[in-house]
Amino acid sequence: TNIDGATNDFSRVLSSGDHFGEMALINNSLRCATVVANSDTLCFLLHEKDFHKILGSMGDALEHSQICRTLASVPFFSELMEPEVNALANAMTVKKFSASSQINDFDQQYYVIKNGNCISKDSSGKTSVLTRGDFFTSDSVNSTTDSVCTCYSLSHGALYRCIGWRYTV
C-alpha cells in the first residue's frame, strides 16, 4: 500500500485474505492509498453499489460509530454521557462544502470536520486552519480552503434537544 500515491515508498505489504479500499466506500470519500501488485495476484472486486447493497446497514453502523468517536474527541462534547453522544450522532447530518465556498447558514449550525479543512476567522480578524475533529459554528468560519471539506452538521435546536441545559457554546 502506497499512502501518498506519489512515490515508491510502500508502507505495508498485503497478503492473501487482506482487503483494501473499503474506507473510501464507507466514508464516501476519495481513496487515500494506491495498491500495486508485486507478483501475479488474483483480487476479488466488489463494486460500490454492491458494497452498499450487501453492507449498507453495517456501513451506517460504522458511520455512527465514527461520528461518536469524533464527538468524544471534541473538548466541548468530551464530558457528555454515552446516551447524549448517541443522540447527537443520530441528529447530525453530513454536509459537503466545495473548495473555497462560504459557510453561511441562515440558521446557526454547529459543525465537526469529518475530513478536509476550513479557515476560521474570528471577530478580530485572526485566522486559523481547522482540521479533522475540530468543532466550529457557522458564524465563526470564513470559508473552506482549496480542498473539499466534509462536516457533521447539527442545528442549534437539535443540539439543545440532545443535551438541553448543558448546552452553552
Side-chain angles (χ1 to χ4, degrees):
T1 306
N2 182 332
I3 298 302
D4 64 10
T7 68
N8 288 329
D9 179 27
F10 293 94
S11 63
R12 187 168 65 128
V13 175
L14 302 175
S15 301
S16 179
D18 287 342
H19 56 89
F20 57 91
E22 75 285 354
M23 292 311 295
L25 296 174
I26 290 169
N27 293 326
N28 194 26
S29 61
L30 296 175
R31 59 187 177 83
C32 60
T34 299
V35 178
V36 177
N38 60 6
S39 65
D40 289 345
T41 305
L42 176 64
C43 292
F44 294 96
L45 171 70
L46 184 60
H47 289 279
E48 182 178 9
K49 68 179 173 106
D50 297 323
F51 176 87
H52 289 294
K53 184 177 177 181
I54 295 167
L55 301 173
S57 60
M58 183 177 151
D60 293 342
L62 290 170
E63 177 76 13
H64 180 82
S65 177
Q66 181 181 13
I67 294 170
C68 289
R69 283 192 317 272
T70 301
L71 288 173
S73 72
V74 176
F76 180 76
F77 299 118
S78 64
E79 298 297 318
L80 297 178
M81 305 289 269
E82 186 176 343
E84 293 169 314
V85 172
N86 279 317
L88 286 172
N90 288 333
M92 291 188 131
T93 58
V94 175
K95 283 193 176 181
K96 290 185 180 182
F97 299 97
S98 59
S100 302
S101 66
Q102 294 293 115
I103 301 176
N104 294 325
D105 292 316
F106 295 107
D107 179 31
Q108 189 176 29
Q109 296 285 310
Y110 302 94
Y111 298 101
V112 177
I113 298 177
K114 178 180 178 182
N115 48 41
N117 51 44
C118 296
I119 297 174
S120 174
K121 191 175 201 179
D122 67 17
S123 58
S124 70
K126 180 183 174 190
T127 61
S128 58
V129 176
L130 303 175
T131 61
R132 181 185 178 110
D134 286 338
F135 171 75
F136 65 94
T137 60
S138 56
D139 60 355
S140 68
V141 171
N142 182 288
S143 67
T144 62
T145 62
D146 60 353
S147 64
V148 173
C149 183
T150 306
C151 299
Y152 300 117
S153 172
L154 187 68
S155 72
H156 172 82
L159 180 63
Y160 187 79
R161 282 190 300 279
C162 291
I163 62 174
W165 63 270
R166 297 177 74 171
Y167 157 68
T168 54
V169 177

